[in-house]
């Protein structure tokens, strides 16, 4: 007998809550995204997250823990070998990633890959380095527009990104080149988690803006996930933000792209007003893309405050047979060196208006407790070769 008719999972992309024991092996010592954001800003107002229990997970300068939070709360450790978006999300839905995806942050892509991509696309490639999306446009977009060359770059994540001006390069041509890049990067030595089309508009420095016509070409999960399980049993699986791209459409029944994290929460609020049966899975990427990678703790804090306002709206819409789970997929401590993700524990906050209790749960050894809890709620056995133990009996 299912307890909840609708489950909402919201991933606050990169909101880590402290280093894992193996974090130094990933180059991350003393990291804590949430705590260091709080320490780096004068004001930090998150009353809805506070009453759910977020401040009970790590000390925050401006936000006191609450004696009786509304939610059950704990920290989740990552079992997979990595600290990237796909690894974190795939583990949430039951997959342990043992071999990390390739990254080319320090060196750019190999000459052999660049040569093959130039040959197949008919384009001369410029860039080929790790950079932020806005910086690479300021540096090279005017050249791309003038010459017809193609900007290729990477980041701290396992991605190959291609920029294209929507007017001069064209969306269809950008997508064509990305499809070729995805085919080439299926080789083991070049295999990246995602190829990303990064369209933009503008004609000169200071005017360039990326558009919402971004498209991610992700690897398919190597095994069935909880999303496939739900869809195969006739349940709704709603994707908001980049969830559909992260799972390459696998297990998704309906999807909405988001223009921003605020927009993603507005879409989630709209979904809560509809009568679906199953899962609404949300990724809010701006925490990571706009503030974590750019090492801007103040911007991160303000984004969390915006989220908190819309969280209050969502909480008022939840029904007795709804369950809300707030979590993250990795860390990205905006006070740490470099621009990379950080290997961290992530929050787990579980709330329903029908809960009889609340409070601290034991730390879990995998993000996959989330997917297992969802499957358990709908009376389904986890797919073969997945991990995770349900927390449903502890959330009452």
């Amino acid at each position: 007998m299912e307890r909840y008719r609708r489950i909402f999972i919201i991933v606050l992309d990169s909101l880590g809550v402290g280093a894992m024991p193996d974090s130094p092996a990933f180059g991350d010592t003393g990291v804590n995204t949430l705590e260091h954001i709080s320490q780096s800003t004068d004001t930090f107002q998150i009353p809805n997250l506070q009453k759910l229990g977020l401040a009970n997970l790590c000390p925050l300068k401006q936000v006191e823990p609450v004696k009786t939070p509304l939610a059950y709360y704990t920290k989740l450790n990552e079992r997979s070998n990595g600290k990237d978006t796909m690894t974190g999300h795939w583990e949430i839905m039951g997959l342990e990633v043992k071999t990390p995806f390739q990254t080319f942050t320090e060196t750019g892509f190999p000459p052999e890959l660049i040569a093959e991509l130039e040959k197949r696309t008919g384009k001369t490639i410029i860039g080929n380095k790790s950079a932020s999306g806005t910086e690479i446009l300021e540096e090279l977009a005017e050249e791309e527009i003038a010459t017809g060359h193609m900007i290729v770059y990477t980041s701290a994540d396992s991605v190959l990104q291609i920029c294209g001006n929507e007017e001069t390069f064209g969306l269809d041509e950008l997508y064509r080149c990305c499809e070729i890049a995805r085919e080439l990067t299926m080789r083991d030595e070049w295999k990246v988690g995602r190829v990303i089309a990064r369209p933009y508009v503008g004609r000169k420095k200071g005017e360039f803006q990326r558009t919402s016509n971004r498209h991610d070409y992700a690897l398919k999960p190597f095994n069935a996930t909880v999303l496939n399980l739900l869809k195969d049993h006739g349940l709704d699986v709603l994707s908001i933000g980049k969830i559909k791209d992260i799972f390459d459409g696998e297990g998704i029944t309906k999807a909405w792209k988001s223009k921003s994290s605020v927009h993603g929460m507005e879409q989630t609020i709209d979904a809560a007003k509809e009568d679906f049966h199953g899962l609404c899975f949300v990724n809010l990427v701006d925490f990571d893309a706009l503030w974590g990678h750019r090492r801007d703790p103040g911007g991160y804090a303000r984004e969390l405050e915006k989220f908190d306002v819309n969280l209050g709206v969502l909480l008022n819409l939840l029904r007795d047979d709804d369950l809300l789970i707030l979590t993250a997929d990795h860390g990205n401590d905006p006070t740490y060196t470099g621009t990379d993700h950080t290997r961290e524990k992530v929050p787990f906050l579980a709330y329903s208006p029908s809960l009889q209790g609340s409070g601290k749960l034991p730390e879990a050894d995998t993000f996959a407790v989330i997917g297992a809890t969802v499957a358990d709620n709908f009376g389904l056995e986890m797919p073969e070769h997945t991990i995770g133990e349900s927390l449903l009996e502890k959330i009452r």
Side-chain angles (χ1 to χ4, degrees):
M1 190 74 180
E2 67 184 39
R3 191 184 310 165
Y4 303 107
R5 178 175 174 80
R6 307 189 305 178
I7 298 179
F8 296 82
I9 298 173
I10 300 178
V11 178
L12 285 74
D13 199 309
S14 84
L15 189 66
V17 288
M20 288 177 49
D22 67 356
S23 292
F26 289 79
D28 303 324
T29 302
V31 291
N32 190 318
T33 299
L34 178 60
E35 182 177 346
H36 292 161
I37 289 167
S38 172
Q39 291 175 354
S40 301
T41 186
D42 292 331
T43 61
F44 192 30
Q45 298 180 9
I46 49 171
N48 292 301
L49 285 166
Q50 180 185 26
K51 68 184 183 182
L52 290 178
L54 186 68
N56 294 54
L57 290 172
C58 53
L60 303 183
K61 184 173 72 173
Q62 312 87 342
V63 186
E64 291 292 325
V66 289
K67 274 190 175 180
T68 309
L70 294 180
Y72 286 96
Y73 66 91
T74 189
K75 299 178 183 179
L76 309 181
N77 290 270
E78 186 166 16
R79 190 182 301 182
S80 295
N81 185 6
K83 54 177 180 177
D84 61 272
T85 297
M86 284 177 59
T87 298
H89 282 79
W90 286 11
E91 182 166 324
I92 288 170
M93 286 297 136
L95 298 185
E96 180 182 1
V97 178
K98 296 182 179 180
T99 302
F101 299 113
Q102 296 281 2
T103 58
F104 299 93
T105 310
E106 302 301 326
T107 60
F109 297 104
E112 298 81 6
L113 171 56
I114 295 298
E116 188 66 19
L117 187 55
E118 288 183 327
K119 178 181 175 183
R120 293 279 302 276
T121 61
K123 304 285 186 182
T124 297
I125 289 173
I126 55 177
N128 189 26
K129 62 181 179 179
S130 178
S132 83
T134 51
E135 289 171 354
I136 203 84
L137 290 180
E138 288 298 296
E139 179 185 351
L140 296 175
E142 287 184 351
E143 179 181 347
E144 180 181 82
I145 292 168
T147 63
H149 295 164
M150 183 168 73
I151 300 171
V152 173
Y153 71 108
T154 188
S155 70
D157 221 336
S158 178
V159 293
L160 184 153
Q161 304 184 82
I162 302 179
C163 298
N165 186 286
E166 291 198 358
E167 294 179 339
T168 61
F169 199 100
L171 276 177
D172 290 343
E173 179 65 3
L174 176 61
Y175 295 158
R176 181 188 75 87
C177 293
C178 287
E179 288 165 6
I180 292 169
R182 176 70 280 178
E183 180 186 343
L184 292 175
T185 55
M186 293 302 293
R187 300 185 193 177
D188 287 343
E189 65 271 26
W190 298 339
K191 188 174 286 186
V192 294
R194 287 174 294 157
V195 171
I196 306 177
R198 289 287 196 178
Y200 66 95
V201 293
R203 291 301 185 99
K204 60 183 180 180
K205 290 180 181 179
E207 295 181 354
F208 298 121
Q209 290 186 331
R210 296 192 292 186
T211 76
S212 59
N213 290 318
R214 161 183 170 162
H215 185 69
D216 292 37
Y217 300 79
L219 296 174
K220 286 193 178 295
F222 55 83
N223 194 58
T225 72
V226 173
L227 302 183
N228 300 104
L229 180 70
L230 299 177
K231 182 180 179 181
D232 290 349
H233 284 82
L235 293 160
D236 297 313
V237 183
L238 311 183
S239 159
I240 293 177
K242 63 180 183 177
I243 296 295
K244 181 180 178 182
D245 288 335
I246 292 168
F247 290 87
D248 198 31
E250 289 291 306
I252 305 297
T253 61
K254 192 172 182 180
W256 294 267
K257 286 190 174 183
S258 304
K259 298 176 183 177
S260 65
S261 289
V262 170
H263 184 221
M265 276 303 289
E266 292 169 349
Q267 292 169 310
T268 306
I269 289 165
D270 287 340
K273 297 174 183 177
E274 303 296 325
D275 187 28
F276 68 89
H277 181 205
L279 174 66
C280 179
F281 197 6
V282 182
N283 174 275
L284 305 177
V285 72
D286 287 352
F287 303 108
D288 184 56
L290 296 185
W291 315 119
H293 285 302
R294 297 181 188 177
R295 294 303 190 249
D296 185 344
Y300 207 133
R302 303 293 80 79
E303 194 74 48
L304 281 167
E305 290 177 335
K306 293 176 189 176
F307 168 77
D308 194 83
V309 172
N310 277 322
L311 175 60
V313 178
L314 179 62
L315 291 174
N316 287 330
L317 291 171
L318 293 181
R319 308 167 183 172
D320 284 349
D321 59 352
D322 288 340
L323 176 66
L324 171 65
I325 296 174
L326 302 181
T327 191
D329 53 342
H330 50 72
N332 199 346
D333 189 334
T335 69
Y336 202 58
T337 58
T339 61
D340 197 358
H341 295 154
T342 44
R343 173 84 166 176
E344 292 186 52
K345 302 173 184 181
V346 301
F348 175 88
L349 299 172
Y351 169 73
S352 173
S354 61
L355 288 180
Q356 300 300 305
S358 65
K360 188 175 182 179
L361 298 174
E363 274 197 20
D365 66 354
T366 172
F367 300 174
V369 296
I370 297 174
T373 299
V374 173
D376 189 16
N377 176 73
F378 292 110
L380 303 174
E381 290 189 12
M382 289 285 283
E384 192 175 357
H385 305 302
T386 54
I387 60 172
E389 299 291 332
S390 173
L391 299 178
L392 191 65
E393 290 305 310
K394 298 178 181 179
I395 303 170
R396 290 194 167 277

Coordinates of all heavy atoms in Angstrom, one line a residue, residues 119-154:
K119 N 37.7 17.5 -38.8 CA 37.5 16.8 -40.1 C 36.0 16.5 -40.3 O 35.4 16.7 -41.4 CB 38.3 15.5 -40.1 CG 38.1 14.7 -41.3 CD 39.0 13.4 -41.2 CE 38.7 12.5 -42.4 NZ 39.5 11.2 -42.3
R120 N 35.3 16.0 -39.3 CA 33.9 15.6 -39.4 C 33.0 16.8 -39.5 O 31.9 16.7 -40.1 CB 33.6 14.7 -38.2 CG 34.3 13.3 -38.2 CD 33.7 12.3 -39.1 NE 32.3 12.1 -38.8 CZ 31.9 11.3 -37.8 NH1 32.7 10.5 -37.1 NH2 30.6 11.1 -37.6
T121 N 33.3 17.9 -38.8 CA 32.3 19.0 -38.8 C 32.6 20.0 -39.9 O 31.8 20.8 -40.3 CB 32.4 19.7 -37.5 OG1 33.7 20.3 -37.2 CG2 32.0 18.8 -36.3
G122 N 33.9 20.0 -40.4 CA 34.3 21.0 -41.4 C 34.6 22.3 -40.8 O 34.6 23.4 -41.5
K123 N 34.8 22.4 -39.5 CA 35.1 23.6 -38.8 C 36.5 23.7 -38.2 O 37.0 22.6 -37.8 CB 34.1 23.7 -37.6 CG 32.6 23.6 -38.0 CD 32.1 24.9 -38.6 CE 30.6 24.9 -38.8 NZ 30.1 26.1 -39.5
T124 N 37.1 24.9 -38.1 CA 38.3 25.1 -37.4 C 37.9 25.3 -36.0 O 37.1 26.2 -35.7 CB 39.1 26.3 -38.0 OG1 39.4 26.0 -39.3 CG2 40.3 26.5 -37.2
I125 N 38.6 24.6 -35.0 CA 38.3 24.7 -33.6 C 39.2 25.7 -32.9 O 40.4 25.7 -33.1 CB 38.4 23.3 -33.0 CG1 37.2 22.5 -33.4 CG2 38.3 23.5 -31.4 CD1 37.2 21.0 -33.0
I126 N 38.6 26.6 -32.1 CA 39.3 27.5 -31.3 C 38.9 27.3 -29.8 O 37.8 26.7 -29.6 CB 39.1 29.0 -31.7 CG1 37.6 29.3 -31.7 CG2 39.7 29.3 -33.0 CD1 37.2 30.8 -32.0
G127 N 39.7 27.7 -28.9 CA 39.4 27.5 -27.5 C 40.2 26.3 -27.0 O 41.4 26.3 -26.7
N128 N 39.5 25.2 -26.9 CA 40.1 23.9 -26.4 C 40.8 24.1 -25.1 O 42.0 23.8 -25.0 CB 41.0 23.2 -27.4 CG 41.3 21.8 -27.0 OD1 40.6 21.2 -26.2 ND2 42.5 21.3 -27.4
K129 N 40.1 24.5 -24.1 CA 40.7 24.7 -22.8 C 39.5 24.7 -21.8 O 38.3 24.7 -22.1 CB 41.5 26.0 -22.6 CG 40.6 27.2 -22.9 CD 41.5 28.5 -22.8 CE 40.7 29.7 -23.0 NZ 41.6 30.9 -22.9
S130 N 39.9 24.7 -20.5 CA 38.9 24.8 -19.4 C 38.6 26.2 -19.2 O 39.5 27.0 -19.0 CB 39.4 24.1 -18.2 OG 38.4 24.2 -17.1
A131 N 37.3 26.6 -19.2 CA 36.9 28.0 -19.0 C 35.4 28.0 -18.6 O 34.7 27.1 -18.8 CB 37.1 28.8 -20.3
S132 N 35.0 29.2 -18.0 CA 33.6 29.4 -17.7 C 33.0 29.8 -19.0 O 33.6 30.4 -19.9 CB 33.4 30.5 -16.7 OG 33.5 31.8 -17.2
G133 N 31.7 29.5 -19.1 CA 30.9 29.8 -20.4 C 30.9 31.3 -20.7 O 31.0 31.6 -21.9
T134 N 30.8 32.2 -19.8 CA 30.7 33.6 -20.0 C 32.1 34.1 -20.4 O 32.2 34.9 -21.3 CB 30.2 34.4 -18.8 OG1 31.0 34.0 -17.7 CG2 28.7 34.0 -18.6
E135 N 33.2 33.6 -19.8 CA 34.5 34.1 -20.1 C 34.9 33.7 -21.5 O 35.6 34.5 -22.2 CB 35.5 33.5 -19.1 CG 35.4 34.1 -17.7 CD 36.2 33.4 -16.7 OE1 36.8 32.3 -17.0 OE2 36.3 33.8 -15.5
I136 N 34.6 32.5 -21.9 CA 35.0 32.0 -23.2 C 34.3 32.8 -24.3 O 34.9 33.1 -25.4 CB 34.8 30.5 -23.4 CG1 35.7 29.9 -24.5 CG2 33.3 30.2 -23.7 CD1 37.0 29.5 -24.1
L137 N 33.1 33.3 -24.1 CA 32.4 34.1 -25.1 C 33.0 35.5 -25.2 O 33.2 36.0 -26.3 CB 30.9 34.2 -24.7 CG 30.1 33.0 -24.8 CD1 28.6 33.3 -24.4 CD2 30.1 32.4 -26.3
E138 N 33.4 36.0 -24.1 CA 34.0 37.4 -24.1 C 35.4 37.3 -24.8 O 35.8 38.2 -25.5 CB 34.3 37.9 -22.7 CG 33.0 38.3 -22.0 CD 32.3 39.5 -22.7 OE1 32.9 40.6 -22.8 OE2 31.2 39.3 -23.2
E139 N 36.1 36.1 -24.7 CA 37.4 36.0 -25.3 C 37.3 35.7 -26.8 O 38.1 36.2 -27.6 CB 38.2 34.9 -24.6 CG 39.5 34.6 -25.2 CD 40.2 33.4 -24.5 OE1 39.7 32.9 -23.5 OE2 41.3 33.0 -25.1
L140 N 36.4 34.8 -27.2 CA 36.4 34.2 -28.5 C 35.2 34.4 -29.4 O 35.3 34.0 -30.6 CB 36.8 32.7 -28.4 CG 38.1 32.3 -27.8 CD1 38.2 30.8 -27.6 CD2 39.2 32.9 -28.7
A141 N 34.1 34.8 -28.9 CA 32.9 34.9 -29.7 C 33.0 35.8 -30.9 O 32.5 35.5 -32.0 CB 31.7 35.3 -28.8
E142 N 33.6 36.9 -30.7 CA 33.8 37.8 -31.9 C 34.6 37.2 -33.0 O 34.2 37.3 -34.2 CB 34.5 39.1 -31.4 CG 33.6 40.1 -30.6 CD 34.2 41.4 -30.3 OE1 35.5 41.5 -30.5 OE2 33.6 42.3 -29.8
E143 N 35.6 36.4 -32.6 CA 36.4 35.7 -33.6 C 35.5 34.6 -34.3 O 35.6 34.4 -35.5 CB 37.6 35.0 -33.0 CG 38.4 34.2 -34.0 CD 39.6 33.6 -33.3 OE1 40.0 33.9 -32.2 OE2 40.2 32.7 -34.0
E144 N 34.7 33.9 -33.5 CA 33.8 32.9 -34.1 C 32.9 33.5 -35.1 O 32.7 32.9 -36.2 CB 33.1 32.1 -33.0 CG 32.1 31.0 -33.6 CD 31.3 30.3 -32.5 OE1 30.3 30.9 -32.1 OE2 31.7 29.3 -32.1
I145 N 32.3 34.6 -34.7 CA 31.3 35.3 -35.6 C 32.0 35.7 -36.9 O 31.4 35.6 -38.0 CB 30.6 36.4 -34.9 CG1 29.7 35.9 -33.8 CG2 29.8 37.3 -35.8 CD1 29.3 37.0 -32.8
A146 N 33.2 36.3 -36.8 CA 33.9 36.8 -37.9 C 34.4 35.8 -38.9 O 34.5 36.0 -40.1 CB 35.0 37.7 -37.5
T147 N 34.8 34.6 -38.3 CA 35.6 33.6 -39.1 C 34.8 32.4 -39.4 O 35.1 31.6 -40.3 CB 36.9 33.2 -38.4 OG1 36.5 32.6 -37.2 CG2 37.8 34.4 -38.2
G148 N 33.7 32.1 -38.6 CA 33.0 30.8 -38.8 C 33.7 29.7 -38.1 O 33.3 28.5 -38.2
H149 N 34.7 30.0 -37.3 CA 35.3 29.0 -36.5 C 34.4 28.5 -35.4 O 33.3 29.1 -35.2 CB 36.6 29.5 -35.9 CG 37.7 29.8 -36.9 ND1 38.8 30.6 -36.6 CD2 37.8 29.5 -38.2 CE1 39.6 30.7 -37.7 NE2 39.0 30.1 -38.7
M150 N 34.8 27.4 -34.7 CA 33.9 26.8 -33.7 C 34.6 26.8 -32.3 O 35.7 26.3 -32.2 CB 33.5 25.4 -34.1 CG 32.5 24.7 -33.2 SD 31.8 23.2 -33.9 CE 33.3 22.1 -33.9
I151 N 33.9 27.4 -31.3 CA 34.5 27.4 -29.9 C 34.2 26.0 -29.3 O 33.0 25.6 -29.1 CB 33.9 28.5 -29.1 CG1 34.2 29.9 -29.7 CG2 34.4 28.4 -27.6 CD1 33.4 31.0 -29.1
V152 N 35.2 25.3 -28.8 CA 35.1 24.1 -28.1 C 35.8 24.3 -26.7 O 37.0 24.8 -26.7 CB 35.7 22.9 -28.8 CG1 35.7 21.6 -27.9 CG2 34.9 22.6 -30.1
Y153 N 35.2 23.9 -25.6 CA 35.8 24.1 -24.3 C 35.3 23.1 -23.4 O 34.4 22.3 -23.7 CB 35.7 25.5 -23.8 CG 34.3 25.9 -23.3 CD1 34.0 26.0 -22.0 CD2 33.2 26.1 -24.3 CE1 32.7 26.4 -21.6 CE2 32.0 26.4 -23.8 CZ 31.7 26.6 -22.5 OH 30.4 26.9 -22.1
T154 N 35.9 23.0 -22.2 CA 35.5 22.0 -21.2 C 35.4 22.8 -19.9 O 35.4 24.0 -19.8 CB 36.4 20.8 -21.1 OG1 35.9 19.8 -20.2 CG2 37.8 21.2 -20.6

